Amino acid sequence: MNDWIRPIGRGWVVRDEVPGPDVDEFAEPDRVAYALAKPGAGDTLLAVQHPARTPAALARGLDLAAAVPIARAALERLRKRAYRPVRDVVAPYRIEGPDGVALGLLCLVDPAAVTDEGTARVRHTEDVYPDVVAERAAVLAGLGCATSAALLVPAAAGELLTEEVTRACGALGLPDLSTSDAAGRRHDLWVVPAGPLQRRLLGAAGAAELLVADGNHRVAAATAAGHGGLLALVTAGPSLRIGAIHRVLTGTGFGPEDLVSRWSAAGLDVRYDEHAVPVTGEAVVRAGNAVLRVPLPRTGFAGPGPVIDHEIVERILFADALGIDPDGPCTHPLPDGRPVPPDADAVVLLAPVSHADVLAVHAAGRRMPRKATYFTPKPRSGLLLAEL
């Protein structure tokens, strides 16, 4: 067994239903605060993960450092009420729903581990926002417990892991935990103690380097927190999907005529097309009542591997043509299917990035633009907690 990928020494499996909504469905701070303002939301894992955004913390003016001890006490209450303890376990996990199928292993992974040659065992696929990492690291260090799992995919030999987990699930019989989420996905989880089966599963999960499919900020926060452990679902599918993540402009003062004028002046071919849909190599922009189609130029991007549409939009359309900082307060990621903010000046719709392009960018030694991929299906937060 590899020492960089290991069992959960002390954990807790939910007895029935996870306390509160799925933590990972609330990335934006305003949506978190809105959800926590609802009756009963203070006694949930969402409140534990965002302690400074609860109504009580906001009313008292608590910063994160002051709110984390309150969250730790709340987590202890939730564990006693809604969870049963387990020791030295891994968890074969199956997710099946309208957005794909994933068979994998829930376990602990060392996010800072390197091979004998000095290469990273766990490789980020996207850049991260330092402020988000700092906040999550502070919460993780204060709680000493992971409530959500990152989604890691093998860079190679994924079929070995899928076969091993499939064989294990068949031999184990009925799952120890089975539940459905709000999106109609079925989550089945088996608990496997120390022994030959656990060793085989860990060996299959650690047979190759792992890429971060979902949870780049979580992986960076685990490294920064210094626990040496990351709760992760290691999976190769067999039917992982990548959804689209768009871009929203707010507070720019630009109307559709301004966008057309500035982008045309920058040499872009901007056309009105109310029937346009996003395809690779083009952006569809909805601004007011206007729908624009903008082919994305590939020139001027040096370096190995494919050029990703999000990179072109942020550099050419936003920074060069509009003078907008892609990392500033006027640009926001928007996963497909999420509502457009009411104060949006424009939403730039982009096609999903292909899995092949993600692997090609990784093979070239590069990272994807931030918030460019949305892998599904993802593990349900709160089914299994892990002490770090």
Side-chain angles (χ1 to χ4, degrees):
M1 184 179 68
N2 301 302
D3 59 358
W4 65 278
I5 185 164
R6 56 187 186 273
I8 298 162
R10 185 184 183 204
W12 297 265
V13 177
V14 71
R15 290 193 179 97
D16 187 14
E17 294 296 328
V18 174
D22 192 342
V23 172
D24 297 327
E25 294 302 315
F26 298 89
E28 299 82 8
D30 56 337
R31 292 187 68 227
V32 172
Y34 178 79
L36 290 176
K38 295 181 179 180
D43 199 22
T44 64
L45 284 179
L46 184 64
V48 168
Q49 284 291 82
H50 297 273
R53 295 189 175 97
T54 65
L58 293 173
R60 295 170 58 187
L62 300 182
D63 62 11
L64 190 60
V68 164
I70 299 174
R72 185 165 186 143
L75 176 60
E76 182 61 25
R77 292 195 300 271
L78 290 176
R79 285 190 300 217
K80 289 180 178 179
R81 187 182 77 235
Y83 290 83
R84 63 180 179 89
V86 292
R87 283 193 175 274
D88 298 320
V89 301
V90 298
Y93 191 150
R94 177 182 173 88
I95 320 167
E96 184 170 5
D99 53 1
V101 179
L103 280 154
L105 188 72
L106 276 172
C107 56
L108 289 183
V109 176
D110 182 354
V114 296
T115 66
D116 293 338
E117 293 76 28
T119 60
R121 298 277 192 182
V122 180
R123 298 191 182 183
H124 286 272
T125 52
E126 294 183 0
D127 289 326
V128 295
Y129 296 99
D131 56 334
V132 176
V133 172
E135 178 180 321
R136 293 193 177 187
V139 173
L140 193 60
L143 294 178
C145 180
T147 63
S148 298
L151 187 69
L152 308 181
V153 297
E159 64 281 355
L160 169 66
L161 174 61
T162 301
E163 292 170 2
E164 196 67 62
V165 175
T166 300
R167 191 179 302 115
C169 293
L172 291 167
L174 292 176
D176 293 288
L177 174 66
S178 188
T179 187
S180 297
D181 62 26
R185 305 179 196 91
R186 191 72 184 173
H187 300 258
D188 294 327
L189 181 151
W190 293 259
V191 177
V192 175
L197 177 56
Q198 184 184 105
R199 290 193 293 272
R200 288 200 302 271
L201 289 167
L202 287 169
E209 295 165 359
L210 303 175
L211 307 181
V212 184
D214 182 79
N216 281 278
H217 289 87
R218 205 167 304 146
V219 175
T223 303
H227 288 303
L230 165 77
L231 180 62
L233 175 64
V234 183
T235 178
S239 182
L240 291 175
R241 300 178 188 175
I242 301 179
I245 297 188
H246 312 300
R247 294 294 185 265
V248 175
L249 294 176
T250 61
T252 66
F254 291 134
E257 295 82 5
D258 303 309
L259 297 176
V260 172
S261 174
R262 293 205 174 213
W263 287 338
S264 297
L268 297 169
D269 179 17
V270 185
R271 303 178 185 182
Y272 287 90
D273 185 352
E274 63 181 13
H275 301 296
V277 295
V279 295
T280 301
E282 294 187 354
V284 175
V285 183
R286 297 185 178 274
N289 294 323
V291 182
L292 311 173
R293 181 163 60 89
V294 186
L296 302 174
R298 252 54 185 174
T299 57
F301 289 84
V307 179
I308 304 302
D309 288 352
H310 299 71
E311 185 178 3
I312 301 172
V313 166
E314 292 182 343
R315 187 192 303 182
I316 304 299
L317 274 67
F318 291 176
D320 293 351
L322 301 180
I324 294 173
D325 181 0
D327 298 329
C330 294
T331 62
H332 312 275
L334 182 72
D336 195 43
R338 299 275 180 88
V340 176
D343 60 343
D345 299 324
V347 56
V348 180
L349 303 176
L350 297 163
V353 180
S354 71
H355 199 175
D357 275 353
V358 173
L359 294 178
V361 168
H362 160 70
R366 296 168 44 219
R367 289 188 182 182
M368 296 285 292
R370 287 181 286 198
K371 296 297 182 182
T373 57
Y374 187 78
F375 278 80
T376 60
K378 297 192 292 185
R380 172 76 159 92
S381 295
L383 296 182
L384 175 61
L385 313 181
E387 184 178 71
L388 302 175

